[in-house]
Amino acid sequence: MKKEVTLAVVTTTAATVVVVVTLARQYWKQKKERQWKKSQQIIRKFARECATPVPKLWEVANGMVSDMEASLSSDAAGSCLNMLASYVSPLPTGNEQGMYYGVNLRGTDFLMVCARLGGKNEPISDFYREEISLPSNVMLGTSQELYDFIAVELSKFISAHPENNDETAANDKKLGFTLSYAANQAAATAGSAIKWKNFSADDMEGKGLVSEINQALEKHGVNMRVHALVDDTVGDLAGGRYYTKESVAAIALGMGINAAYVDTTQSAPRWRGTLLPNSGEIVISIEWGNFNSCQLPITQFDASLDAESSNPGSRIFEKLISGMYLGEIVRRVLVEMAKETALFGETVPPKLLIPYLLRPPDMAAMHQDTSEDLEVVHEKLKEIFGITNSTAMAREIVAEVCDIVTERGARLAGAGIVAITKKLGRIANRRSVVVIEGGLYEHYRIFRNYLHSSVWEMLGDELSGNIIIEHAHGGSGAGALFLAASQNTDSS
């Protein structure tokens, strides 16, 4: 009897354990299903708000055309675009020959380039480039100290890569000088040499800086002079013009974004009465990172990013497209999902809460992961955010968020390209070459593909062939030497 009672107790206990385990499994299964459902709700809502169907892209493009025209008018108050006139004339013709030098000044470093141009049908030769980091004392010093430092390094560079003895004397040459507006604002501290974001290379301040640079070059025995400062997108446009007259615009798609294009002087009444180029052409730096419109697909994550940025309410287009912000938008979405759906476990990984930790190369690597188990996503989550236990579902969601953010940014950039060609009246019957420089376009394959497809979708088979998109010749900073070639009248 005692054995029977004991057996009954054991049996009852075992049954109870089975029930408890079964209920626990059901609970966790139901919880995971609720989390998965919630994750899908967040993803679908985010995708809807980021969507860029063709009608939306045309609304954005038409809005940009209107803003461009408003800024070019005599009263630019109705536009959010700066549309800075660059008094660089002429642009290269392709006939330029000889050795030319250029400097591209960026936020925390500068690039020196030189190359020998051979004229039409001749490739560039003897191309050299050297990147120099700016010491902190120089970055925080005066502008003259900055230019002295550049002049010393440039003198060394020219000595290492001299012209041939039979070429035009160096003191007859102009130095190409371009500026890249650093998106990370590393050089925009209170005591820095240049206030990058508000600096116009063609205003009175710009003319003063040209004088300071030339003083430094003369002081350190560099027998070249700067004719004008322009942003590096104008330099890229000069490089495009060297290869084809049909180059009408240049786009920068990197940590920051910008666009420059060639318009007619008649289309720019805002600058009537000023010294416009005799060629009838005027190069405009659109500063299109400033573009804003109610048609832009802005989500709660973009709004919070903007509100917490150092420049709330400005450079909205840039915050949707540039490499500086794409990863941050992805991170913010993942934080929301980590809190609402326990995407990475019951607690939010601490490093996931650190702003701007996700950089474009890592985002691209996760987005373009084709391995069966998304092992690259797993490794990047561990490396960047310390997430060691990501599930297959979580990795798929990360890749999908990257895709949504990238597609939106690339397609908006494509709409901007269409806007420029529409402003010029070239869509229907004229071939237009647009050169693009920057890591997003050069190294992020899916971004590049989305950009091209957006232009094709907007224009269709019949018209899309009129816009030819090419990678900028020579890469980052090379536009400075093409600019130098065009400014030396002895070369043409």
Side-chain angles (χ1 to χ4, degrees), residues 46 50 52 320-321 326-327 329-330 360 363-364 367-368 398-413 440 444-451:
F46 183 59
C50 288
T52 50
L320 298 175
I321 297 174
L326 292 183
I329 298 168
V330 170
M363 177 179 167
H367 187 188
Q368 297 171 164
V398 170
E400 188 173 355
V401 174
C402 289
D403 188 67
I404 293 169
V405 172
T406 300
E407 182 177 18
R408 179 185 64 172
R411 288 171 67 83
L412 289 175
L440 283 181
Y444 202 155
R445 172 180 48 81
I446 296 180
F447 184 99
R448 182 170 63 247
N449 291 344
Y450 276 141
L451 185 151

Side-chain angles (χ1 to χ4, degrees), residues 291-444:
F291 177 65
N292 195 1
S293 165
C294 62
Q295 303 300 335
L296 291 175
I298 295 175
T299 72
Q300 67 185 75
F301 304 103
D302 305 299
S304 65
L305 182 153
D306 176 54
E308 296 168 19
S309 69
S310 61
N311 54 351
S314 65
R315 303 199 69 81
I316 301 301
F317 201 54
E318 182 171 82
K319 288 169 182 171
L320 298 175
I321 297 174
S322 81
M324 178 68 185
Y325 300 103
L326 292 183
E328 176 60 9
I329 298 168
V330 170
R331 186 196 67 83
R332 287 171 179 264
V333 177
L334 296 181
V335 168
E336 174 79 4
M337 299 184 76
K339 291 178 178 178
E340 295 293 326
T341 72
L343 185 64
F344 302 114
E346 294 305 311
T347 59
V348 178
K351 293 182 72 174
L352 188 62
L353 299 173
I354 302 176
Y356 296 95
L357 206 58
L358 181 57
R359 310 299 290 170
D362 297 315
M363 177 179 167
M366 292 194 296
H367 187 188
Q368 297 171 164
D369 184 6
T370 58
S371 63
E372 184 175 351
D373 296 323
L374 296 177
E375 284 302 315
V376 175
V377 177
H378 171 71
E379 290 300 322
K380 289 296 180 182
L381 289 175
K382 182 169 65 173
E383 172 191 333
I384 300 165
F385 299 119
I387 299 171
T388 59
N389 59 342
S390 62
T391 63
M393 181 193 78
R395 295 196 289 271
E396 289 175 7
I397 287 174
V398 170
E400 188 173 355
V401 174
C402 289
D403 188 67
I404 293 169
V405 172
T406 300
E407 182 177 18
R408 179 185 64 172
R411 288 171 67 83
L412 289 175
I417 291 172
V418 172
I420 293 172
T421 51
K422 180 180 180 180
K423 162 67 180 68
L424 295 174
R426 298 179 67 100
I427 287 179
N429 53 16
R430 300 184 69 183
R431 183 177 184 267
S432 300
V433 176
V434 178
V435 296
I436 302 183
E437 185 272 319
L440 283 181
Y441 185 80
E442 183 177 358
H443 302 301
Y444 202 155

